Amino acid sequence: RQKLIGLRHAETKKMPQDEDLLEDLVFKATKGGHKVFVSGTPDDDLFVDPVDLDADDLPNVVNDLDFDYFPSAETSSSLADSPEVQAKLDKAIADVDIRILNPPREGKKLLVLDLDYTLFDMKSTAESINELKRPFLEEFMTLAYQHYDIVIWSQTKWTYLEMKLTDLGLLTSDAFKLMFVLDISCMFSVRSMYKGKPRTHQVKALPIIWAHFPDRFGPHNTVHIDDVSRNFAVNPQQGLKIKAFKRAAVNRATDRELFRLSAYLIHLATSVPDFRSLDHAR
Ligand code: MG
C-alpha cells in the first residue's frame, strides 16, 4: 500500500513494483536535484468494513448467524448421548464417502483443520492468494505433518473447496500431504444451548472419521482446529478454537497463531500420550 514517487526501475524504467529491490531503482532525471516521495495510507486510517471488525469492537451488534458456542460438561454430554444426534451420526457415518488422497501413516495422530479464516482470509480481496494465506501456513503444515495425519474439513461445497485448496498449494506440496478432505456434505445439524437458548447449527462431528479408522484415530489422539467453536459441539474436548484470520492486509504483519500452534502440536504429539486429559482452551 505504498508508492515510491521519483524513482524508477533502472531497466524497465517503470514505477517501482512490490517485487523490485531498492538497489535496482534509480532517480528520475530532473533538473536541480532529486525529490523522492513515499505515499500511502497508515494502518490506522484504512477503511475497514464493519463486518470485518472483531465482535469486541462492536459491542451493540448481535450477529445471530455467527453465534459462538461455549461447550460445557452439561451440553457436550447431553448432545453426544441424544438419540437424535446418535441417529444423525450413524447416518453420516454410513453416507460419508472418504476419498483417501494419502493413506494414514503408522503411529501418527490426527489433525482436523478448518480452512476459511483458519488457514486463510477467505473474504479480503488481494492480487494474489499468497497475500491471503495465514502467516506461517507452509511451516505449520510441514511441522504438523511430521506427527499428524492431516484432514481438512470445510463448511463449503466441494467445487469451491477444491479450488481453494489448489490455489493455496495445499494439494501439491512435497513437504506435507493431506490424508483426505471433507466438505459441507459431511456435516449435519444439531440443537445445542447458547446463552440459555436452544440453537440449531451445523457441526463437524469427529466420530464420523473415527468410525472409519477405529484402530488408528479416536478422542485420545485427535486435535480439531477451527475458528468457529460451535463446530466442536459433538466433540468439544478435541476442539481448539483459533482466532479467525481476517483483514489479511493488516493482520498479516502480526498474526503468529500458526507459528505458536505448531509448537503446541509438536509438544502434544511428543509428550502427551492421551489427549483426553487436555483442555485446549487453557
Ligand atoms: Mg472457519
Side-chain angles (χ1 to χ4, degrees):
R1 297 197 308 278
Q2 291 183 336
K3 284 190 168 66
L4 283 173
I5 298 161
L7 294 170
R8 60 181 170 81
H9 192 275
E11 285 174 16
T12 66
K13 315 290 186 206
K14 285 182 181 167
M15 267 191 74
Q17 305 296 305
D18 284 347
E19 59 275 15
D20 290 344
L21 299 177
L22 278 174
E23 64 183 7
D24 295 331
L25 304 181
V26 294
F27 292 112
K28 271 186 178 171
T30 48
K31 287 178 186 169
H34 301 291
K35 280 185 180 173
V36 177
F37 298 90
V38 179
S39 105
T41 309
D43 281 356
D44 289 346
D45 298 341
L46 279 183
F47 172 77
V48 176
D49 189 333
V51 301
D52 288 345
L53 289 171
D54 289 337
D56 297 348
D57 301 333
L58 295 168
N60 298 321
V61 176
V62 177
N63 185 344
D64 278 351
L65 295 174
D66 196 26
F67 76 93
D68 214 342
Y69 167 84
F70 301 95
S72 68
E74 182 196 333
T75 51
S76 62
S77 61
S78 60
L79 255 191
D81 295 344
S82 139
E84 189 193 339
V85 171
Q86 195 56 55
K88 287 184 174 180
L89 203 48
D90 290 344
K91 183 175 178 339
I93 290 168
D95 288 350
V96 68
D97 177 17
I98 294 181
R99 303 195 176 186
I100 301 283
L101 302 171
N102 297 281
R105 298 161 300 158
E106 199 58 47
K108 301 300 179 193
K109 321 277 185 193
L110 175 63
L111 178 61
V112 178
L113 292 174
D114 170 50
L115 185 62
D116 293 344
Y117 297 134
T118 292
L119 300 185
F120 87 114
D121 175 1
M122 56 94 79
K123 192 165 179 210
S124 295
T125 49
E127 285 179 27
S128 142
I129 198 160
N130 284 322
E131 294 168 35
L132 302 178
K133 279 183 187 174
R134 195 163 206 159
F136 303 100
L137 176 59
E138 277 86 7
E139 291 86 345
F140 170 81
M141 297 295 284
T142 303
L143 288 169
Y145 183 68
Q146 294 170 9
H147 301 278
Y148 297 80
D149 285 328
I150 301 174
V151 169
I152 291 200
W153 195 342
S154 176
Q155 187 169 2
T156 320
K157 287 194 173 137
W158 171 245
T159 326
Y160 302 114
L161 182 50
E162 187 180 25
M163 217 151 60
K164 291 176 186 175
L165 293 172
T166 306
D167 287 350
L168 288 165
L170 294 176
L171 295 172
T172 46
S173 172
D174 290 329
F176 57 86
K177 306 281 173 204
L178 302 184
M179 184 164 63
F180 57 86
V181 175
L182 297 179
D183 66 4
I184 191 172
S185 68
C186 308
M187 297 178 70
F188 57 81
S189 65
V190 299
R191 275 164 69 85
S192 68
M193 297 298 284
Y194 173 68
K195 290 189 175 171
K197 292 179 187 166
R199 298 290 190 111
T200 302
H201 60 88
Q202 301 274 99
V203 285
K204 299 177 182 175
L206 296 180
I208 298 174
I209 300 178
W210 296 334
H212 287 268
F213 302 90
D215 301 330
R216 282 189 188 269
F217 305 125
H220 63 289
N221 65 355
T222 303
V223 180
H224 178 186
I225 299 178
D226 206 306
D227 65 298
V228 175
S229 59
R230 61 179 180 270
N231 286 329
F232 308 139
V234 172
N235 37 261
Q237 196 266 315
Q238 285 75 42
L240 192 166
K241 181 179 159 70
I242 191 172
K243 186 175 160 60
F245 180 57
K246 296 181 178 178
R247 296 171 64 203
V250 173
N251 291 325
R252 209 168 35 172
T254 50
D255 187 284
R256 298 292 177 267
E257 298 270 314
L258 292 181
F259 175 72
R260 293 182 176 134
L261 264 181
S262 61
Y264 179 63
L265 288 177
I266 290 170
H267 172 73
L268 297 187
T270 53
S271 48
V272 180
D274 190 329
F275 291 180
R276 279 171 295 193
S277 60
L278 297 169
D279 175 359
H280 296 305
R282 302 184 52 153

